[in-house]
mmCIF file of all heavy atoms in Angstrom:
data_model
loop_
_atom_site.group_PDB
_atom_site.id
_atom_site.type_symbol
_atom_site.label_atom_id
_atom_site.label_comp_id
_atom_site.label_asym_id
_atom_site.label_seq_id
_atom_site.Cartn_x
_atom_site.Cartn_y
_atom_site.Cartn_z
ATOM 1 N N LYS A 18 7.230 -8.561 -7.450
ATOM 2 C CA LYS A 18 6.639 -7.531 -8.317
ATOM 3 C C LYS A 18 5.713 -6.599 -7.557
ATOM 4 O O LYS A 18 5.753 -5.368 -7.687
ATOM 5 C CB LYS A 18 5.898 -8.184 -9.483
ATOM 6 C CG LYS A 18 6.775 -8.643 -10.624
ATOM 7 C CD LYS A 18 5.899 -9.263 -11.685
ATOM 8 C CE LYS A 18 6.711 -9.814 -12.826
ATOM 9 N NZ LYS A 18 5.871 -10.484 -13.858
ATOM 10 N N LYS A 19 4.796 -7.222 -6.755
ATOM 11 C CA LYS A 19 3.843 -6.467 -5.969
ATOM 12 C C LYS A 19 4.571 -5.528 -4.985
ATOM 13 O O LYS A 19 4.188 -4.358 -4.845
ATOM 14 C CB LYS A 19 2.905 -7.393 -5.208
ATOM 15 C CG LYS A 19 1.843 -8.057 -6.079
ATOM 16 C CD LYS A 19 0.988 -9.004 -5.262
ATOM 17 C CE LYS A 19 -0.090 -9.676 -6.140
ATOM 18 N NZ LYS A 19 -0.899 -10.637 -5.369
ATOM 19 N N ALA A 20 5.545 -6.103 -4.301
ATOM 20 C CA ALA A 20 6.302 -5.314 -3.324
ATOM 21 C C ALA A 20 7.025 -4.151 -3.989
ATOM 22 O O ALA A 20 7.042 -3.019 -3.460
ATOM 23 C CB ALA A 20 7.301 -6.204 -2.603
ATOM 24 N N ILE A 21 7.620 -4.439 -5.152
ATOM 25 C CA ILE A 21 8.326 -3.383 -5.908
ATOM 26 C C ILE A 21 7.349 -2.301 -6.369
ATOM 27 O O ILE A 21 7.664 -1.114 -6.300
ATOM 28 C CB ILE A 21 9.095 -3.991 -7.078
ATOM 29 C CG1 ILE A 21 10.299 -4.820 -6.586
ATOM 30 C CG2 ILE A 21 9.556 -2.933 -8.050
ATOM 31 C CD1 ILE A 21 10.799 -5.852 -7.579
ATOM 32 N N LYS A 22 6.180 -2.702 -6.887
ATOM 33 C CA LYS A 22 5.161 -1.750 -7.303
ATOM 34 C C LYS A 22 4.717 -0.840 -6.180
ATOM 35 O O LYS A 22 4.563 0.353 -6.332
ATOM 36 C CB LYS A 22 3.959 -2.487 -7.866
ATOM 37 C CG LYS A 22 4.170 -2.966 -9.321
ATOM 38 C CD LYS A 22 2.929 -3.714 -9.821
ATOM 39 C CE LYS A 22 3.164 -4.172 -11.276
ATOM 40 N NZ LYS A 22 1.963 -4.922 -11.776
ATOM 41 N N LYS A 23 4.463 -1.465 -4.981
ATOM 42 C CA LYS A 23 4.067 -0.703 -3.787
ATOM 43 C C LYS A 23 5.128 0.318 -3.433
ATOM 44 O O LYS A 23 4.828 1.470 -3.127
ATOM 45 C CB LYS A 23 3.813 -1.643 -2.621
ATOM 46 C CG LYS A 23 2.482 -2.348 -2.689
ATOM 47 C CD LYS A 23 2.307 -3.276 -1.473
ATOM 48 C CE LYS A 23 0.943 -4.024 -1.533
ATOM 49 N NZ LYS A 23 0.791 -4.915 -0.381
ATOM 50 N N GLU A 24 6.365 -0.158 -3.412
ATOM 51 C CA GLU A 24 7.482 0.733 -3.067
ATOM 52 C C GLU A 24 7.597 1.880 -4.070
ATOM 53 O O GLU A 24 7.824 3.035 -3.674
ATOM 54 C CB GLU A 24 8.787 -0.070 -3.026
ATOM 55 C CG GLU A 24 9.932 0.671 -2.350
ATOM 56 C CD GLU A 24 11.169 -0.143 -2.186
ATOM 57 O OE1 GLU A 24 11.180 -1.328 -2.593
ATOM 58 O OE2 GLU A 24 12.146 0.396 -1.651
ATOM 59 N N ARG A 25 7.433 1.564 -5.351
ATOM 60 C CA ARG A 25 7.490 2.583 -6.398
ATOM 61 C C ARG A 25 6.372 3.601 -6.246
ATOM 62 O O ARG A 25 6.582 4.808 -6.406
ATOM 63 C CB ARG A 25 7.417 1.944 -7.789
ATOM 64 C CG ARG A 25 8.724 1.330 -8.229
ATOM 65 C CD ARG A 25 8.534 0.590 -9.532
ATOM 66 N NE ARG A 25 9.812 -0.027 -9.982
ATOM 67 C CZ ARG A 25 9.882 -0.848 -11.019
ATOM 68 N NH1 ARG A 25 8.790 -1.151 -11.731
ATOM 69 N NH2 ARG A 25 11.077 -1.363 -11.352
ATOM 70 N N LYS A 26 5.141 3.109 -5.918
ATOM 71 C CA LYS A 26 4.008 3.990 -5.718
ATOM 72 C C LYS A 26 4.261 4.952 -4.544
ATOM 73 O O LYS A 26 3.963 6.144 -4.613
ATOM 74 C CB LYS A 26 2.735 3.198 -5.451
ATOM 75 C CG LYS A 26 2.094 2.624 -6.726
ATOM 76 C CD LYS A 26 0.876 1.815 -6.385
ATOM 77 C CE LYS A 26 0.235 1.242 -7.674
ATOM 78 N NZ LYS A 26 -0.979 0.414 -7.372
ATOM 79 N N LYS A 27 4.792 4.384 -3.449
ATOM 80 C CA LYS A 27 5.111 5.182 -2.264
ATOM 81 C C LYS A 27 6.142 6.240 -2.617
ATOM 82 O O LYS A 27 6.029 7.399 -2.213
ATOM 83 C CB LYS A 27 5.644 4.279 -1.151
ATOM 84 C CG LYS A 27 4.538 3.527 -0.425
ATOM 85 C CD LYS A 27 5.147 2.640 0.682
ATOM 86 C CE LYS A 27 4.053 1.854 1.414
ATOM 87 N NZ LYS A 27 4.653 1.026 2.494
ATOM 88 N N LYS A 28 7.159 5.810 -3.341
ATOM 89 C CA LYS A 28 8.216 6.748 -3.755
ATOM 90 C C LYS A 28 7.652 7.856 -4.633
ATOM 91 O O LYS A 28 8.028 9.023 -4.483
ATOM 92 C CB LYS A 28 9.326 6.016 -4.493
ATOM 93 C CG LYS A 28 10.261 5.251 -3.571
ATOM 94 C CD LYS A 28 11.312 4.540 -4.355
ATOM 95 C CE LYS A 28 12.279 3.800 -3.440
ATOM 96 N NZ LYS A 28 13.339 3.072 -4.209
ATOM 97 N N LYS A 29 6.755 7.467 -5.591
ATOM 98 C CA LYS A 29 6.132 8.463 -6.463
ATOM 99 C C LYS A 29 5.322 9.457 -5.690
ATOM 100 O O LYS A 29 5.348 10.659 -5.945
ATOM 101 C CB LYS A 29 5.266 7.767 -7.510
ATOM 102 C CG LYS A 29 6.042 7.157 -8.668
ATOM 103 C CD LYS A 29 5.097 6.483 -9.635
ATOM 104 C CE LYS A 29 5.882 5.891 -10.816
ATOM 105 N NZ LYS A 29 4.960 5.215 -11.784
ATOM 106 N N LYS A 30 4.516 8.949 -4.705
ATOM 107 C CA LYS A 30 3.696 9.822 -3.864
ATOM 108 C C LYS A 30 4.584 10.788 -3.081
ATOM 109 O O LYS A 30 4.272 11.974 -2.960
ATOM 110 C CB LYS A 30 2.864 8.985 -2.920
ATOM 111 C CG LYS A 30 1.617 8.381 -3.590
ATOM 112 C CD LYS A 30 0.825 7.533 -2.605
ATOM 113 C CE LYS A 30 -0.399 6.890 -3.265
ATOM 114 N NZ LYS A 30 -1.173 6.071 -2.310
ATOM 115 N N ALA A 31 5.652 10.185 -2.501
ATOM 116 C CA ALA A 31 6.595 11.034 -1.711
ATOM 117 C C ALA A 31 7.235 12.106 -2.593
ATOM 118 O O ALA A 31 7.364 13.259 -2.175
ATOM 119 C CB ALA A 31 7.656 10.139 -1.092
ATOM 120 N N LYS A 32 7.605 11.707 -3.833
ATOM 121 C CA LYS A 32 8.198 12.643 -4.767
ATOM 122 C C LYS A 32 7.223 13.753 -5.131
ATOM 123 O O LYS A 32 7.576 14.914 -5.197
ATOM 124 C CB LYS A 32 8.668 11.935 -6.027
ATOM 125 C CG LYS A 32 9.979 11.203 -5.837
ATOM 126 C CD LYS A 32 10.371 10.515 -7.130
ATOM 127 C CE LYS A 32 11.704 9.797 -6.981
ATOM 128 N NZ LYS A 32 12.095 9.106 -8.253
ATOM 129 N N LYS A 33 5.945 13.337 -5.375
ATOM 130 C CA LYS A 33 4.918 14.306 -5.720
ATOM 131 C C LYS A 33 4.721 15.327 -4.580
ATOM 132 O O LYS A 33 4.579 16.510 -4.819
ATOM 133 C CB LYS A 33 3.613 13.607 -6.021
ATOM 134 C CG LYS A 33 3.545 13.019 -7.428
ATOM 135 C CD LYS A 33 2.220 12.329 -7.667
ATOM 136 C CE LYS A 33 2.173 11.743 -9.083
ATOM 137 N NZ LYS A 33 0.871 11.036 -9.326
ATOM 138 N N LYS A 34 4.638 14.792 -3.324
ATOM 139 C CA LYS A 34 4.481 15.657 -2.188
ATOM 140 C C LYS A 34 5.654 16.664 -2.044
ATOM 141 O O LYS A 34 5.449 17.827 -1.784
ATOM 142 C CB LYS A 34 4.386 14.809 -0.891
ATOM 143 C CG LYS A 34 3.010 14.185 -0.705
ATOM 144 C CD LYS A 34 2.966 13.351 0.567
ATOM 145 C CE LYS A 34 1.606 12.699 0.775
ATOM 146 N NZ LYS A 34 1.562 11.891 2.005
ATOM 147 N N LYS A 35 6.857 16.109 -2.221
ATOM 148 C CA LYS A 35 8.049 16.954 -2.164
ATOM 149 C C LYS A 35 8.009 18.016 -3.243
ATOM 150 O O LYS A 35 8.332 19.183 -2.983
ATOM 151 C CB LYS A 35 9.300 16.093 -2.305
ATOM 152 C CG LYS A 35 9.709 15.379 -1.047
ATOM 153 C CD LYS A 35 10.987 14.583 -1.277
ATOM 154 C CE LYS A 35 11.404 13.856 -0.012
ATOM 155 N NZ LYS A 35 12.665 13.071 -0.234
ATOM 156 N N ALA A 36 7.618 17.562 -4.447
ATOM 157 C CA ALA A 36 7.543 18.514 -5.584
ATOM 158 C C ALA A 36 6.508 19.610 -5.313
ATOM 159 O O ALA A 36 6.762 20.772 -5.591
ATOM 160 C CB ALA A 36 7.198 17.756 -6.860
ATOM 161 N N GLN A 37 5.347 19.200 -4.765
ATOM 162 C CA GLN A 37 4.296 20.167 -4.426
ATOM 163 C C GLN A 37 4.761 21.162 -3.382
ATOM 164 O O GLN A 37 4.513 22.368 -3.470
ATOM 165 C CB GLN A 37 3.044 19.447 -3.939
ATOM 166 C CG GLN A 37 2.226 18.808 -5.053
ATOM 167 C CD GLN A 37 1.050 18.022 -4.551
ATOM 168 O OE1 GLN A 37 0.875 17.843 -3.362
ATOM 169 N NE2 GLN A 37 0.210 17.548 -5.443
ATOM 170 N N LYS A 38 5.424 20.622 -2.332
ATOM 171 C CA LYS A 38 5.961 21.493 -1.280
ATOM 172 C C LYS A 38 6.985 22.465 -1.853
ATOM 173 O O LYS A 38 6.995 23.651 -1.482
ATOM 174 C CB LYS A 38 6.606 20.637 -0.180
ATOM 175 C CG LYS A 38 5.611 19.975 0.728
ATOM 176 C CD LYS A 38 6.322 19.117 1.782
ATOM 177 C CE LYS A 38 5.306 18.473 2.734
ATOM 178 N NZ LYS A 38 5.991 17.649 3.739
ATOM 179 N N LYS A 39 7.826 21.958 -2.716
ATOM 180 C CA LYS A 39 8.845 22.815 -3.368
ATOM 181 C C LYS A 39 8.180 23.918 -4.180
ATOM 182 O O LYS A 39 8.617 25.079 -4.132
ATOM 183 C CB LYS A 39 9.773 21.975 -4.245
ATOM 184 C CG LYS A 39 10.819 21.230 -3.445
ATOM 185 C CD LYS A 39 11.690 20.448 -4.408
ATOM 186 C CE LYS A 39 12.782 19.698 -3.614
ATOM 187 N NZ LYS A 39 13.658 18.899 -4.550
ATOM 188 N N LYS A 40 7.132 23.504 -4.957
ATOM 189 C CA LYS A 40 6.423 24.491 -5.778
ATOM 190 C C LYS A 40 5.781 25.575 -4.910
ATOM 191 O O LYS A 40 5.822 26.762 -5.242
ATOM 192 C CB LYS A 40 5.355 23.779 -6.601
ATOM 193 C CG LYS A 40 5.886 23.083 -7.833
ATOM 194 C CD LYS A 40 4.768 22.391 -8.588
ATOM 195 C CE LYS A 40 5.306 21.675 -9.818
ATOM 196 N NZ LYS A 40 4.204 21.007 -10.578
ATOM 197 N N GLU A 41 5.118 25.115 -3.803
ATOM 198 C CA GLU A 41 4.504 26.057 -2.892
ATOM 199 C C GLU A 41 5.510 27.000 -2.250
ATOM 200 O O GLU A 41 5.290 28.196 -2.150
ATOM 201 C CB GLU A 41 3.751 25.299 -1.788
ATOM 202 C CG GLU A 41 2.422 24.681 -2.293
ATOM 203 C CD GLU A 41 1.750 23.844 -1.208
ATOM 204 O OE1 GLU A 41 2.324 23.728 -0.097
ATOM 205 O OE2 GLU A 41 0.658 23.283 -1.474
ATOM 206 N N ALA A 42 6.644 26.399 -1.870
ATOM 207 C CA ALA A 42 7.716 27.196 -1.279
ATOM 208 C C ALA A 42 8.245 28.230 -2.279
ATOM 209 O O ALA A 42 8.468 29.387 -1.924
ATOM 210 C CB ALA A 42 8.863 26.312 -0.813
ATOM 211 N N LYS A 43 8.393 27.790 -3.548
ATOM 212 C CA LYS A 43 8.896 28.677 -4.606
ATOM 213 C C LYS A 43 7.884 29.815 -4.847
ATOM 214 O O LYS A 43 8.266 30.982 -5.008
ATOM 215 C CB LYS A 43 9.088 27.907 -5.905
ATOM 216 C CG LYS A 43 10.382 27.100 -5.929
ATOM 217 C CD LYS A 43 10.531 26.379 -7.234
ATOM 218 C CE LYS A 43 11.825 25.576 -7.287
ATOM 219 N NZ LYS A 43 11.964 24.849 -8.550
ATOM 220 N N LYS A 44 6.560 29.434 -4.879
ATOM 221 C CA LYS A 44 5.528 30.446 -5.066
ATOM 222 C C LYS A 44 5.534 31.471 -3.934
ATOM 223 O O LYS A 44 5.425 32.668 -4.183
ATOM 224 C CB LYS A 44 4.165 29.769 -5.136
ATOM 225 C CG LYS A 44 3.863 29.104 -6.474
ATOM 226 C CD LYS A 44 2.490 28.464 -6.437
ATOM 227 C CE LYS A 44 2.177 27.788 -7.782
ATOM 228 N NZ LYS A 44 0.837 27.129 -7.749
ATOM 229 N N ASN A 45 5.633 30.960 -2.698
ATOM 230 C CA ASN A 45 5.694 31.865 -1.537
ATOM 231 C C ASN A 45 6.887 32.782 -1.605
ATOM 232 O O ASN A 45 6.784 33.988 -1.304
ATOM 233 C CB ASN A 45 5.726 31.054 -0.242
ATOM 234 C CG ASN A 45 4.424 30.342 0.055
ATOM 235 O OD1 ASN A 45 3.346 30.866 -0.297
ATOM 236 N ND2 ASN A 45 4.503 29.182 0.658
ATOM 237 N N LYS A 46 8.043 32.243 -1.987
ATOM 238 C CA LYS A 46 9.243 33.043 -2.113
ATOM 239 C C LYS A 46 9.094 34.102 -3.191
ATOM 240 O O LYS A 46 9.478 35.250 -2.995
ATOM 241 C CB LYS A 46 10.422 32.106 -2.479
ATOM 242 C CG LYS A 46 11.035 31.406 -1.275
ATOM 243 C CD LYS A 46 12.207 30.539 -1.728
ATOM 244 C CE LYS A 46 12.798 29.820 -0.538
ATOM 245 N NZ LYS A 46 13.976 29.000 -0.970
ATOM 246 N N LYS A 47 8.485 33.689 -4.327
ATOM 247 C CA LYS A 47 8.270 34.638 -5.413
ATOM 248 C C LYS A 47 7.339 35.747 -4.991
ATOM 249 O O LYS A 47 7.565 36.942 -5.301
ATOM 250 C CB LYS A 47 7.672 33.912 -6.622
ATOM 251 C CG LYS A 47 8.721 33.133 -7.428
ATOM 252 C CD LYS A 47 8.056 32.416 -8.586
ATOM 253 C CE LYS A 47 9.088 31.645 -9.382
ATOM 254 N NZ LYS A 47 8.447 30.934 -10.556
ATOM 255 N N ALA A 48 6.224 35.365 -4.260
ATOM 256 C CA ALA A 48 5.266 36.386 -3.754
ATOM 257 C C ALA A 48 5.944 37.337 -2.806
ATOM 258 O O ALA A 48 5.720 38.575 -2.894
ATOM 259 C CB ALA A 48 4.103 35.666 -3.056
ATOM 260 N N LYS A 49 6.742 36.807 -1.903
ATOM 261 C CA LYS A 49 7.491 37.664 -0.965
ATOM 262 C C LYS A 49 8.451 38.603 -1.663
ATOM 263 O O LYS A 49 8.558 39.765 -1.308
ATOM 264 C CB LYS A 49 8.246 36.776 0.041
ATOM 265 C CG LYS A 49 7.375 36.163 1.109
ATOM 266 C CD LYS A 49 8.168 35.259 2.025
ATOM 267 C CE LYS A 49 7.299 34.620 3.095
ATOM 268 N NZ LYS A 49 8.099 33.736 4.002
ATOM 269 N N LYS A 50 9.130 38.037 -2.643
ATOM 270 C CA LYS A 50 10.074 38.851 -3.434
ATOM 271 C C LYS A 50 9.365 39.965 -4.155
ATOM 272 O O LYS A 50 9.841 41.106 -4.219
ATOM 273 C CB LYS A 50 10.834 37.958 -4.433
ATOM 274 C CG LYS A 50 11.963 37.166 -3.793
ATOM 275 C CD LYS A 50 12.646 36.317 -4.861
ATOM 276 C CE LYS A 50 13.798 35.531 -4.240
ATOM 277 N NZ LYS A 50 14.474 34.683 -5.283
ATOM 278 N N LYS A 51 8.165 39.622 -4.767
ATOM 279 C CA LYS A 51 7.399 40.623 -5.485
ATOM 280 C C LYS A 51 6.973 41.756 -4.542
ATOM 281 O O LYS A 51 7.047 42.933 -4.902
ATOM 282 C CB LYS A 51 6.159 39.975 -6.112
ATOM 283 C CG LYS A 51 6.467 39.232 -7.386
ATOM 284 C CD LYS A 51 5.219 38.620 -7.954
ATOM 285 C CE LYS A 51 5.503 37.865 -9.273
ATOM 286 N NZ LYS A 51 4.255 37.252 -9.852
#
């Protein structure tokens, strides 16, 4: 259970980082387009 929880937390953090990066990239693209 502990190992699974740790792995899930890591995955969530990685997903959040990816999502943030994607959002930033999208924002930058939108700004450039504007």
